[in-house]
Amino acid sequence: MPEIEIQNEPCSEGAAIVIFGVTGDLARRKLMPGLYENAIRGRLPQPFYIIGFARRPWSHEKMREVLYQGVYDHGRSETIDDEILNQLLNRAFYVESTFQDPDGYVKLEQALDQLGIRNTLFYLATPPGWYATIVENIGRFKMETCQEGLRRIVVEKPFGRDLETALSLDDELHSVFLEDQIYRMDHYLGKETVQNILAFRFGNGIFEPLWNRKYIDHIQITMAETEGVGTRAGYYDHAGVIRDVFQNHLLQLLTLTAMEAPAVFNAKAVRDEKVKVLKSIQAVKGDDALKNTFRAQYVSGTIAGKRVKSYRDEPDVSPDSITETYLAARLYLNNWRWAGVPFYLRSGKRLPNRVTEIAIQFRQVPLALFGQQNLAGEAPNVLILRIQPNEGITLFLGAKVPGSVMRVEPVEMRFNYADAFGGEPPEAYERLLLDCLTGDATLFTRNDEVEEAWQLTQGILDAWENQDLRNLAVYEAGTQGPHGADDFILRDGRQWRKI
């Protein structure tokens, strides 16, 4: 390892982040810009150190150059303060080692001792296959604890690829770290507009009385992407939508939409309520899983005027792949608030627009008073919580058009995050990195939460294993999705919102 040249500093209340896999895209695109944004706002403990750990033959200077450029390429600030950025990177050091080499961890331990930092955050920015090896070696050299200091570890999703591997990963983590040291990162929970779901629900008295089965007909949670699999094909072809976004992102949005108000706003209380929601979801297994899910795969089509190839023609995708790139699911919650209200979850790649939203469809009015002139429909009230893009909240109402004729048309009441607060919301990693450093686990998934989500997902996966998919449904890239998904929801007398 190149020598770490620093002035001798006493053991302090500062902190260090050790980024395993620092040479990958995550460190350059998300972690370093997030650290910089916190630095310019004076939020990082001081002194603050960055230690990169990876196998490439880099020097300290090489790593600093790459991370420096990462802030310029991917930071959200329009202008970069070079003085603050260089101050941050002057305390960035590199450890060259493979993840399985014990000598690398000896070098890491020596670096931490030399820097004299008590508080350390280990960040696993690596492929999931390396998690167990890294954790085992951290434990071998007793780096998970520090006298008079705090040690924590951040694990990026996916947390396993099925229930069995998720439980195995959990055991491996707990063999070295305590649960309150483990921060399972689902970056969706760090999005400002996702957090706004709780503020909207529990900070406004006019909506909470309506947030139940008496007034809500159904809820649609949508995560649509225009992109294909890109460079992730090797992973995606073994994961599909169900592992990539359903088991984590979509179920997380469901829990925040459906949970009861916590007694207090802290990590334990919030996560307790989310787990209750997951436990209340009606099991989806066997024939019920096949009846309540629909999957499909995109074929060649046109997006934004450009012809794109089919999924099976993507590099690193099997030519006879039956991996789903579109999933629709119908879930019910067995509790007093939501009994009988269907939650429709859908996600797909190569759809016409990039949209993540939660749509709450309120029930029809008791009597249709305005006949054919009611162009707003008998159930005009829809509340849209838009996660991305154009983050904000929209409420659709029926209103009378000016004039002598009683004609009702749909209108919108709209809140836009950027207009209201004078800029785009912070990046998720900016908030989540700070929470890791300060020890706030509210926006991170707990082990029982992960297990419950996998219990539900595993029932679907098991049912799919026995399904004949030689004629897997398809949809043309750039369209609203497969026709079968429309039939899936039309059988309930409902229809999807247009993407």
Side-chain angles (χ1 to χ4, degrees):
M1 179 185 74
E3 290 297 321
I4 296 177
E5 297 177 3
I6 62 169
Q7 295 181 352
N8 290 330
E9 297 188 36
C11 193
S12 70
E13 293 303 320
I17 181 171
V18 178
I19 304 176
F20 291 94
V22 72
T23 56
D25 279 352
L26 180 61
R28 180 173 55 87
R29 297 171 64 92
K30 297 295 183 182
L31 302 186
M32 190 62 208
L35 291 173
Y36 167 76
E37 295 294 338
N38 282 308
I40 62 174
R41 290 164 176 77
R43 295 169 179 162
L44 295 181
Q46 293 299 321
F48 185 80
Y49 294 95
I50 301 169
I51 301 177
F53 190 112
R55 64 178 177 81
R56 292 186 186 178
W58 282 10
S59 62
H60 302 317
E61 290 71 24
K62 173 64 176 178
M63 183 184 76
R64 291 167 183 167
E65 289 173 6
V66 172
L67 296 181
Y68 179 94
Q69 193 60 45
V71 173
Y72 268 88
D73 292 343
H74 305 290
R76 70 180 179 91
S77 296
E78 292 184 4
T79 58
I80 302 299
D81 188 324
D82 262 355
E83 182 179 354
I84 290 179
L85 178 55
N86 284 321
Q87 286 175 358
L88 184 60
L89 289 173
N90 283 341
R91 286 195 170 113
F93 305 100
Y94 186 68
V95 175
E96 179 188 336
S97 174
T98 62
F99 299 132
Q100 67 268 40
D101 185 0
D103 289 342
Y105 296 85
V106 172
K107 296 174 186 177
L108 175 59
E109 186 177 27
Q110 291 171 346
L112 291 173
D113 289 342
Q114 185 178 353
L115 295 173
I117 293 295
R118 296 170 181 162
N119 304 318
T120 304
L121 181 67
F122 298 107
Y123 202 112
L124 304 188
T126 68
W130 289 113
Y131 291 171
T133 299
I134 296 170
V135 169
E136 180 184 353
N137 279 292
I138 290 173
R140 177 183 298 180
F141 291 93
K142 308 298 182 186
M143 286 188 284
E144 75 277 11
T145 58
C146 177
Q147 189 174 7
E148 299 181 353
L150 297 172
R151 296 283 168 93
R152 302 184 179 107
I153 187 167
V154 183
V155 185
E156 281 274 348
K157 82 166 190 74
F159 314 120
R161 66 180 314 275
D162 53 25
L163 179 60
E164 181 181 357
T165 55
L167 294 176
S168 177
L169 174 60
D170 196 48
D171 289 341
E172 289 159 352
L173 289 167
H174 286 127
S175 69
V176 176
F177 291 93
L178 301 175
E179 175 60 27
D180 62 7
Q181 293 179 281
I182 302 169
Y183 287 68
R184 298 172 186 82
M185 175 77 77
D186 184 339
H187 71 274
Y188 246 65
L189 295 181
K191 290 181 178 291
E192 196 71 23
T193 42
V194 170
Q195 299 166 53
N196 226 351
I197 297 171
L198 297 182
F200 178 82
R201 286 192 56 196
F202 303 128
N204 295 285
I206 61 173
F207 285 104
E208 178 56 26
L210 309 179
W211 213 264
N212 56 59
R213 62 189 298 272
K214 184 176 179 181
Y215 298 101
I216 292 176
D217 178 79
H218 72 277
I219 293 175
Q220 294 182 26
I221 302 177
T222 299
M223 182 177 172
E225 301 176 89
T226 56
E227 297 88 354
V229 291
T231 59
R232 300 174 67 232
Y235 156 76
Y236 195 90
D237 203 36
H238 294 91
V241 175
I242 192 167
R243 291 181 174 93
D244 192 41
V245 299
F246 174 84
Q247 185 274 334
N248 37 72
H249 298 336
L250 290 180
L251 289 182
Q252 287 294 327
L253 293 179
L254 185 153
T255 61
L256 294 173
T257 305
M259 64 182 274
E260 299 294 332
V264 292
F265 193 77
N266 62 30
K268 182 180 185 305
V270 170
R271 295 195 291 183
D272 283 349
E273 295 302 332
K274 289 168 65 184
V275 170
K276 289 178 185 177
V277 172
L278 292 171
K279 286 179 176 290
S280 74
I281 298 176
Q282 185 174 304
V284 186
K285 299 179 179 179
D287 290 342
D288 283 341
L290 301 182
K291 185 176 76 171
N292 287 292
T293 62
F294 182 88
R295 52 180 168 159
Q297 187 183 92
Y298 69 80
V299 295
S300 181
T302 302
I303 295 181
K306 181 181 177 181
R307 194 73 183 176
V308 298
K309 62 182 63 176
S310 67
Y311 175 73
R312 292 181 181 181
D313 290 331
E314 299 276 13
D316 299 322
V317 171
S318 170
D320 57 355
S321 173
I322 56 171
T323 298
E324 80 286 348
T325 62
Y326 180 100
L327 169 64
R330 180 193 300 106
L331 301 177
Y332 290 94
L333 275 59
N334 292 330
N335 59 34
W336 280 51
R337 182 184 289 268
W338 297 112
V341 176
F343 284 71
Y344 297 100
L345 282 59
R346 61 172 169 165
S347 180
K349 289 190 172 294
R350 291 298 191 199
L351 296 174
N353 292 295
R354 174 176 170 263
V355 174
T356 300
E357 68 176 26
I358 301 166
I360 294 92
Q361 174 66 64
F362 290 91
R363 291 190 179 277
Q364 294 183 356
V365 293
L367 295 173
L369 298 178
F370 306 113
Q372 298 302 313
Q373 299 297 323
N374 183 8
L375 302 181
E378 294 179 355
N381 304 130
V382 186
L383 178 67
I384 310 297
L385 306 177
R386 179 66 69 90
I387 310 301
Q388 65 180 12
N390 304 320
E391 292 88 344
I393 299 169
T394 302
L395 178 63
F396 288 87
L397 306 169
K400 179 185 176 297
V401 176
S404 59
V405 178
M406 178 56 75
R407 190 176 71 190
V408 178
E409 290 191 1
V411 296
E412 299 178 21
M413 295 179 64
R414 185 183 297 271
F415 152 74
N416 182 275
Y417 190 104
D419 293 341
F421 296 111
E424 294 299 319
E427 280 288 324
Y429 279 90
E430 182 181 332
R431 165 67 186 274
L432 294 174
L433 281 167
L434 187 62
D435 285 353
C436 293
L437 292 166
T438 58
D440 184 350
T442 305
L443 300 178
F444 297 84
T445 51
R446 203 168 58 192
N447 59 325
D448 55 345
E449 195 175 344
V450 173
E451 182 176 347
E452 289 296 333
W454 269 120
Q455 287 277 9
L456 173 71
T457 307
Q458 191 64 53
I460 300 173
L461 290 171
D462 290 344
W464 283 1
E465 279 190 5
N466 300 319
Q467 191 178 20
D468 184 356
L469 286 181
R470 286 174 294 183
N471 295 314
L472 177 66
V474 297
Y475 61 100
E476 188 175 328
T479 65
Q480 290 288 313
H483 295 302
D486 294 331
D487 296 337
F488 175 83
I489 194 171
L490 279 172
R491 287 196 295 269
D492 298 340
R494 302 179 175 98
Q495 60 184 8
W496 295 112
R497 279 180 44 80
K498 188 175 182 180
I499 296 172

mmCIF file with all atom_site columns, all heavy atoms in Angstrom, residues 5-16:
data_model
loop_
_atom_site.group_PDB
_atom_site.id
_atom_site.type_symbol
_atom_site.label_atom_id
_atom_site.label_alt_id
_atom_site.label_comp_id
_atom_site.label_asym_id
_atom_site.label_entity_id
_atom_site.label_seq_id
_atom_site.pdbx_PDB_ins_code
_atom_site.Cartn_x
_atom_site.Cartn_y
_atom_site.Cartn_z
_atom_site.occupancy
_atom_site.B_iso_or_equiv
_atom_site.pdbx_formal_charge
_atom_site.auth_seq_id
_atom_site.auth_comp_id
_atom_site.auth_asym_id
_atom_site.auth_atom_id
_atom_site.pdbx_PDB_model_num
ATOM 1  N N   . GLU A 1 5  ? 0.637   9.751  4.125  1.00 0.00 ? 5  GLU A N   1
ATOM 2  C CA  . GLU A 1 5  ? 1.407   10.870 4.642  1.00 0.00 ? 5  GLU A CA  1
ATOM 3  C C   . GLU A 1 5  ? 0.452   11.884 5.250  1.00 0.00 ? 5  GLU A C   1
ATOM 4  O O   . GLU A 1 5  ? -0.248  12.622 4.562  1.00 0.00 ? 5  GLU A O   1
ATOM 5  C CB  . GLU A 1 5  ? 2.222   11.514 3.525  1.00 0.00 ? 5  GLU A CB  1
ATOM 6  C CG  . GLU A 1 5  ? 3.251   10.566 2.920  1.00 0.00 ? 5  GLU A CG  1
ATOM 7  C CD  . GLU A 1 5  ? 4.003   11.206 1.774  1.00 0.00 ? 5  GLU A CD  1
ATOM 8  O OE1 . GLU A 1 5  ? 3.755   12.394 1.493  1.00 0.00 ? 5  GLU A OE1 1
ATOM 9  O OE2 . GLU A 1 5  ? 4.843   10.514 1.174  1.00 0.00 ? 5  GLU A OE2 1
ATOM 10 N N   . ILE A 1 6  ? 0.406   11.909 6.582  1.00 0.00 ? 6  ILE A N   1
ATOM 11 C CA  . ILE A 1 6  ? -0.434  12.866 7.294  1.00 0.00 ? 6  ILE A CA  1
ATOM 12 C C   . ILE A 1 6  ? 0.334   13.395 8.482  1.00 0.00 ? 6  ILE A C   1
ATOM 13 O O   . ILE A 1 6  ? 1.298   12.785 8.943  1.00 0.00 ? 6  ILE A O   1
ATOM 14 C CB  . ILE A 1 6  ? -1.748  12.215 7.792  1.00 0.00 ? 6  ILE A CB  1
ATOM 15 C CG1 . ILE A 1 6  ? -1.446  11.079 8.787  1.00 0.00 ? 6  ILE A CG1 1
ATOM 16 C CG2 . ILE A 1 6  ? -2.574  11.712 6.659  1.00 0.00 ? 6  ILE A CG2 1
ATOM 17 C CD1 . ILE A 1 6  ? -2.653  10.585 9.515  1.00 0.00 ? 6  ILE A CD1 1
ATOM 18 N N   . GLN A 1 7  ? -0.088  14.554 8.947  1.00 0.00 ? 7  GLN A N   1
ATOM 19 C CA  . GLN A 1 7  ? 0.464   15.040 10.201 1.00 0.00 ? 7  GLN A CA  1
ATOM 20 C C   . GLN A 1 7  ? -0.145  14.230 11.329 1.00 0.00 ? 7  GLN A C   1
ATOM 21 O O   . GLN A 1 7  ? -1.297  13.812 11.261 1.00 0.00 ? 7  GLN A O   1
ATOM 22 C CB  . GLN A 1 7  ? 0.139   16.526 10.373 1.00 0.00 ? 7  GLN A CB  1
ATOM 23 C CG  . GLN A 1 7  ? 0.800   17.414 9.328  1.00 0.00 ? 7  GLN A CG  1
ATOM 24 C CD  . GLN A 1 7  ? 0.461   18.873 9.555  1.00 0.00 ? 7  GLN A CD  1
ATOM 25 O OE1 . GLN A 1 7  ? -0.375  19.201 10.387 1.00 0.00 ? 7  GLN A OE1 1
ATOM 26 N NE2 . GLN A 1 7  ? 1.130   19.747 8.816  1.00 0.00 ? 7  GLN A NE2 1
ATOM 27 N N   . ASN A 1 8  ? 0.621   13.996 12.372 1.00 0.00 ? 8  ASN A N   1
ATOM 28 C CA  . ASN A 1 8  ? 0.105   13.224 13.491 1.00 0.00 ? 8  ASN A CA  1
ATOM 29 C C   . ASN A 1 8  ? -1.079  13.965 14.115 1.00 0.00 ? 8  ASN A C   1
ATOM 30 O O   . ASN A 1 8  ? -0.969  15.136 14.477 1.00 0.00 ? 8  ASN A O   1
ATOM 31 C CB  . ASN A 1 8  ? 1.193   13.018 14.538 1.00 0.00 ? 8  ASN A CB  1
ATOM 32 C CG  . ASN A 1 8  ? 2.267   12.063 14.045 1.00 0.00 ? 8  ASN A CG  1
ATOM 33 O OD1 . ASN A 1 8  ? 1.982   11.173 13.256 1.00 0.00 ? 8  ASN A OD1 1
ATOM 34 N ND2 . ASN A 1 8  ? 3.500   12.266 14.487 1.00 0.00 ? 8  ASN A ND2 1
ATOM 35 N N   . GLU A 1 9  ? -2.203  13.271 14.192 1.00 0.00 ? 9  GLU A N   1
ATOM 36 C CA  . GLU A 1 9  ? -3.390  13.864 14.791 1.00 0.00 ? 9  GLU A CA  1
ATOM 37 C C   . GLU A 1 9  ? -3.853  12.964 15.921 1.00 0.00 ? 9  GLU A C   1
ATOM 38 O O   . GLU A 1 9  ? -3.833  11.733 15.805 1.00 0.00 ? 9  GLU A O   1
ATOM 39 C CB  . GLU A 1 9  ? -4.511  14.005 13.748 1.00 0.00 ? 9  GLU A CB  1
ATOM 40 C CG  . GLU A 1 9  ? -4.149  14.944 12.611 1.00 0.00 ? 9  GLU A CG  1
ATOM 41 C CD  . GLU A 1 9  ? -5.347  15.222 11.711 1.00 0.00 ? 9  GLU A CD  1
ATOM 42 O OE1 . GLU A 1 9  ? -6.470  15.304 12.236 1.00 0.00 ? 9  GLU A OE1 1
ATOM 43 O OE2 . GLU A 1 9  ? -5.153  15.357 10.499 1.00 0.00 ? 9  GLU A OE2 1
ATOM 44 N N   . PRO A 1 10 ? -4.300  13.547 17.028 1.00 0.00 ? 10 PRO A N   1
ATOM 45 C CA  . PRO A 1 10 ? -4.761  12.729 18.140 1.00 0.00 ? 10 PRO A CA  1
ATOM 46 C C   . PRO A 1 10 ? -6.043  12.005 17.791 1.00 0.00 ? 10 PRO A C   1
ATOM 47 O O   . PRO A 1 10 ? -6.764  12.408 16.879 1.00 0.00 ? 10 PRO A O   1
ATOM 48 C CB  . PRO A 1 10 ? -5.009  13.767 19.250 1.00 0.00 ? 10 PRO A CB  1
ATOM 49 C CG  . PRO A 1 10 ? -5.309  15.037 18.504 1.00 0.00 ? 10 PRO A CG  1
ATOM 50 C CD  . PRO A 1 10 ? -4.441  14.993 17.270 1.00 0.00 ? 10 PRO A CD  1
ATOM 51 N N   . CYS A 1 11 ? -6.312  10.905 18.490 1.00 0.00 ? 11 CYS A N   1
ATOM 52 C CA  . CYS A 1 11 ? -7.569  10.187 18.298 1.00 0.00 ? 11 CYS A CA  1
ATOM 53 C C   . CYS A 1 11 ? -8.713  11.161 18.557 1.00 0.00 ? 11 CYS A C   1
ATOM 54 O O   . CYS A 1 11 ? -8.719  11.860 19.577 1.00 0.00 ? 11 CYS A O   1
ATOM 55 C CB  . CYS A 1 11 ? -7.639  8.998  19.255 1.00 0.00 ? 11 CYS A CB  1
ATOM 56 S SG  . CYS A 1 11 ? -8.947  7.842  18.866 1.00 0.00 ? 11 CYS A SG  1
ATOM 57 N N   . SER A 1 12 ? -9.645  11.266 17.626 1.00 0.00 ? 12 SER A N   1
ATOM 58 C CA  . SER A 1 12 ? -10.640 12.333 17.681 1.00 0.00 ? 12 SER A CA  1
ATOM 59 C C   . SER A 1 12 ? -12.048 11.784 17.524 1.00 0.00 ? 12 SER A C   1
ATOM 60 O O   . SER A 1 12 ? -12.260 10.599 17.374 1.00 0.00 ? 12 SER A O   1
ATOM 61 C CB  . SER A 1 12 ? -10.364 13.338 16.569 1.00 0.00 ? 12 SER A CB  1
ATOM 62 O OG  . SER A 1 12 ? -10.662 12.731 15.321 1.00 0.00 ? 12 SER A OG  1
ATOM 63 N N   . GLU A 1 13 ? -13.001 12.711 17.517 1.00 0.00 ? 13 GLU A N   1
ATOM 64 C CA  . GLU A 1 13 ? -14.400 12.351 17.295 1.00 0.00 ? 13 GLU A CA  1
ATOM 65 C C   . GLU A 1 13 ? -14.737 12.395 15.809 1.00 0.00 ? 13 GLU A C   1
ATOM 66 O O   . GLU A 1 13 ? -15.896 12.444 15.436 1.00 0.00 ? 13 GLU A O   1
ATOM 67 C CB  . GLU A 1 13 ? -15.314 13.291 18.085 1.00 0.00 ? 13 GLU A CB  1
ATOM 68 C CG  . GLU A 1 13 ? -15.208 13.134 19.588 1.00 0.00 ? 13 GLU A CG  1
ATOM 69 C CD  . GLU A 1 13 ? -15.496 11.708 20.042 1.00 0.00 ? 13 GLU A CD  1
ATOM 70 O OE1 . GLU A 1 13 ? -16.420 11.072 19.500 1.00 0.00 ? 13 GLU A OE1 1
ATOM 71 O OE2 . GLU A 1 13 ? -14.782 11.234 20.940 1.00 0.00 ? 13 GLU A OE2 1
ATOM 72 N N   . GLY A 1 14 ? -13.730 12.448 14.954 1.00 0.00 ? 14 GLY A N   1
ATOM 73 C CA  . GLY A 1 14 ? -13.961 12.408 13.521 1.00 0.00 ? 14 GLY A CA  1
ATOM 74 C C   . GLY A 1 14 ? -14.395 11.029 13.082 1.00 0.00 ? 14 GLY A C   1
ATOM 75 O O   . GLY A 1 14 ? -14.773 10.177 13.891 1.00 0.00 ? 14 GLY A O   1
ATOM 76 N N   . ALA A 1 15 ? -14.326 10.779 11.784 1.00 0.00 ? 15 ALA A N   1
ATOM 77 C CA  . ALA A 1 15 ? -14.783 9.496  11.265 1.00 0.00 ? 15 ALA A CA  1
ATOM 78 C C   . ALA A 1 15 ? -14.069 9.177  9.956  1.00 0.00 ? 15 ALA A C   1
ATOM 79 O O   . ALA A 1 15 ? -13.490 10.055 9.315  1.00 0.00 ? 15 ALA A O   1
ATOM 80 C CB  . ALA A 1 15 ? -16.301 9.519  11.036 1.00 0.00 ? 15 ALA A CB  1
ATOM 81 N N   . ALA A 1 16 ? -14.144 7.911  9.586  1.00 0.00 ? 16 ALA A N   1
ATOM 82 C CA  . ALA A 1 16 ? -13.606 7.450  8.310  1.00 0.00 ? 16 ALA A CA  1
ATOM 83 C C   . ALA A 1 16 ? -14.656 6.581  7.638  1.00 0.00 ? 16 ALA A C   1
ATOM 84 O O   . ALA A 1 16 ? -15.392 5.846  8.301  1.00 0.00 ? 16 ALA A O   1
ATOM 85 C CB  . ALA A 1 16 ? -12.321 6.658  8.515  1.00 0.00 ? 16 ALA A CB  1
#
